[in-house]
C-alpha cells in the first residue's frame, strides 16, 4: 500500500464522505523498504493503494507512480511488478507509457464497473468506455494482463447495459477479479437514482457472475501460455507439501518440488490455477 485516500467522487462510493485526504508513503522510504525485501528474496511486488494513480500528489505536488515503478524495476533481482487500483480518470501519459513499456510490469488492475457509457456517467467515473478502452488496448498490445472489477445492480442498469458489459469483457479479454453487488446508502449520490427492485438486482448479479465465469476461464487459458504465468515461486514448505505462488494465486503441491529452496522459480500446470480461480470468482469488494 503506497497510498491511502481518493479525491474522486464516484456516486456509489462512500470514500469521500469521510474526511480522508490522500496520504502517500515517502518515495525513498518505500523504495528502501522494498529493496531490502528484494535482497532477502522477494521476486514479485504488487503495488496498491486506495487510488494508486494519485500516489505522491500530497508530498510532491504531482503524481509520481511512473517514476516509482521505473526505479523499482531497475532492481535486477526483482522479476515482476503488479500494479493495482489504477483509475482511468486519473491516469496520465507518463504513467501509461511506463506501465506499457516496463517489461517487469506484467499485470495491471484498472476498475471498469460497467461498459455502458450511460452507467459510467451516472457513476461519475470521469471517463468514457472509449477512454478506458484506449488504456486497455495500449497495455494489451504490450503483452500485459489486465484485470478489473465490475459492479452489478447499479440503479437504472438495464438488460442492455448488462449485456454491453458482458460483451465488452469477453471481446477485450479482460480478467474480472471480482463483482461488486451495488449497496445503497442514503448519503451517497446514487441513492437519488431509481433503485432496481430486489429481484431484478439478484437477476443481474446472477447473469453477470455466470457470464464472467466463462469469460474468465477463457482469459486464463490464454494467459497461462505467457511465460510469467507458467512460472511459480517456491514460497514455503511443511512436512508434506511445498507451497508455490505466482501473481494470480497461491496453491500447493505434494512432494514433487519439495527439495527446491525458497525463491526457486518453477514451471507449473496451468489447469490447477484455473480450477481454483473459477471457484473463487464471487466475492464482495470494498465500498
Ligand atoms: S470508487 Fe475508487 S476512484 Fe471512485 S471515489 Fe471510490 S476510491 Fe475513488
Amino acid at each position: 500500500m503506497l497510498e491511502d485516500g481518493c479525491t474522486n467522487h464516484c456516486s456509489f462510493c462512500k470514500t469521500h464522505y469521510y474526511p480522508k485526504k490522500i496520504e502517500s508513503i515517502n518515495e525513498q522510504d518505500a523504495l528502501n523498504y522494498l529493496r531490502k525485501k528484494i535482497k532477502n528474496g522477494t521476486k514479485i511486488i504488487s503495488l496498491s493503494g486506495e487510488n494508486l494513480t494519485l500516489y505522491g500528489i500530497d508530498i510532491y505536488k504531482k503524481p509520481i507512480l511512473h517514476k516509482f515503478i521505473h526505479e523499482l524495476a531497475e532492481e535486477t533481482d526483482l522479476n515482476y511488478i503488479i500494479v493495482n487500483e489504477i483509475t482511468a480518470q486519473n491516469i496520465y501519459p507518463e504513467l501509461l507509457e511506463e506501465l506499457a513499456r516496463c517489461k517487469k510490469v506484467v499485470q495491471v488492475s484498472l476498475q471498469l464497473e460497467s461498459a455502458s457509457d450511460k452507467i459510467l456517467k451516472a457513476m461519475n467515473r470521469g471517463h468514457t468506455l472509449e477512454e478506458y478502452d484506449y488504456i486497455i488496448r495500449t497495455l494489451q498490445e504490450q503483452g500485459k494482463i489486465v484485470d478489473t472489477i465490475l459492479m452489478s445492480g447499479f440503479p437504472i442498469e438495464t438488460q442492455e447495459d448488462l449485456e454491453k458489459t458482458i460483451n465488452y469483457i469477453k471481446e477485450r479479454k479482460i480478467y474480472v477479479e471480482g463483482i461488486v453487488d451495488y449497496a445503497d446508502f442514503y448519503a451517497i449520490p446514487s441513492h437519488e437514482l431509481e433503485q432496481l427492485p430486489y429481484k431484478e438486482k439478484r437477476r443481474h448479479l446472477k447473469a453477470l457472475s455466470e457470464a464472467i465465469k466463462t469469460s474468465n476461464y477463457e482469459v486464463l487459458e490464454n494467459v497461462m501460455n505467457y511465460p510469467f504465468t507458467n512460472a511459480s515461486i517456491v514460497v514455503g514448505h511443511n512436512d508434506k507439501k511445498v507451497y508455490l505462488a505466482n501473481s494470480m494465486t497461491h496453491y500447493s503441491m505434494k512432494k514433487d518440488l519439495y527439495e527446491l529452496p525458497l525463491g526457486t522459480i518453477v514451471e507449473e500446470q496451468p489447469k490447477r490455477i484455473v480450477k481454483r480461480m473459477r471457484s473463487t470468482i464471487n466475492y464482495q469488494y470494498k465500498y
Side-chain angles (χ1 to χ4, degrees):
M1 285 287 286
L2 280 179
E3 170 276 344
D4 195 24
C6 179
T7 49
N8 295 350
H9 286 76
C10 298
S11 64
F12 57 80
C13 182
K14 300 174 188 87
T15 293
H16 56 280
Y17 292 94
Y18 302 102
K20 208 163 139 194
K21 57 183 187 203
I22 291 172
E23 288 176 297
S24 304
I25 299 177
N26 177 288
E27 185 191 13
Q28 284 312 315
D29 289 349
L31 280 171
N32 289 341
Y33 173 82
L34 293 174
R35 281 173 185 144
K36 270 190 206 153
K37 291 273 176 198
I38 295 165
K39 206 172 163 197
N40 289 333
T42 293
K43 300 290 178 195
I44 301 177
I45 288 176
S46 180
L47 302 174
S48 200
E50 188 140 36
N51 178 353
L52 193 60
T53 341
L54 301 175
Y55 171 60
I57 58 169
D58 51 324
I59 303 177
Y60 309 103
K61 309 301 168 214
K62 58 183 181 188
I64 60 154
L65 185 61
H66 63 296
K67 185 166 163 281
F68 188 88
I69 292 171
H70 190 84
E71 290 191 28
L72 188 61
E74 287 186 347
E75 295 299 310
T76 45
D77 290 335
L78 179 69
N79 291 354
Y80 306 121
I81 300 173
I82 296 167
V83 186
N84 294 308
E85 303 294 351
I86 296 295
T87 60
Q89 178 178 172
N90 305 111
I91 205 157
Y92 51 98
E94 295 91 335
L95 178 58
L96 182 57
E97 196 184 326
E98 185 63 32
L99 292 173
R101 191 201 56 80
C102 178
K103 290 204 169 13
K104 289 190 181 175
V105 172
V106 287
Q107 188 174 344
V108 181
S109 298
L110 193 73
Q111 287 180 22
L112 175 61
E113 315 292 0
S114 169
S116 157
D117 276 329
K118 178 192 90 184
I119 299 289
L120 287 174
K121 193 169 177 204
M123 286 177 168
N124 198 27
R125 290 291 288 167
H127 64 84
T128 61
L129 180 65
E130 194 181 345
E131 287 161 341
Y132 179 92
D133 192 55
Y134 172 74
I135 299 168
I136 293 293
R137 276 188 290 116
T138 305
L139 295 173
Q140 285 183 334
E141 276 163 18
Q142 297 304 316
K144 316 293 175 180
I145 294 175
V146 284
D147 62 77
T148 196
I149 301 282
L150 298 177
M151 179 171 278
S152 167
F154 186 79
I156 72 171
E157 184 179 64
T158 61
Q159 179 65 26
E160 194 189 339
D161 298 319
L162 194 59
E163 281 169 17
K164 274 185 189 167
T165 303
I166 291 170
N167 292 338
Y168 175 71
I169 289 295
K170 282 186 178 168
E171 193 185 316
R172 190 52 77 210
K173 299 194 187 320
I174 299 172
Y175 180 78
V176 179
E177 195 195 325
I179 299 170
V180 182
D181 189 15
Y182 172 79
D184 196 31
F185 175 58
Y186 74 94
I188 55 178
S190 54
H191 176 70
E192 301 301 321
L193 300 169
E194 192 180 341
Q195 304 293 314
L196 295 191
Y198 178 77
K199 274 193 175 169
E200 187 63 0
K201 212 164 155 275
R202 294 292 94 196
R203 191 183 68 75
H204 283 215
L205 181 60
K206 197 168 172 224
L208 194 56
S209 302
E210 286 303 315
I212 294 314
K213 270 184 198 166
T214 319
S215 69
N216 268 358
Y217 186 82
E218 284 163 10
V219 173
L220 280 175
E221 272 197 324
N222 285 332
V223 300
M224 287 308 165
N225 295 327
Y226 287 18
F228 104 94
T229 46
N230 272 341
S232 300
I233 293 174
V234 177
V235 292
H237 301 115
N238 67 15
D239 291 347
K240 293 181 184 148
K241 289 178 182 172
V242 55
Y243 291 88
L244 306 176
N246 72 9
S247 63
M248 291 208 169
T249 189
H250 283 68
Y251 59 102
S252 62
M253 284 182 58
K254 286 181 186 169
K255 292 182 182 170
D256 317 37
L257 307 168
Y258 189 67
E259 300 300 322
L260 296 176
L262 299 187
T264 308
I265 297 181
V266 295
E267 295 283 315
E268 184 37 29
Q269 298 296 318
K271 289 288 178 196
R272 288 171 194 268
I273 304 173
V274 172
K275 201 170 163 197
R276 181 183 160 97
M277 294 305 281
R278 286 187 84 189
S279 67
T280 56
I281 179 61
N282 292 318
Y283 79 103
Q284 293 277 323
Y285 199 53
K286 56 179 188 179
Y287 311 129

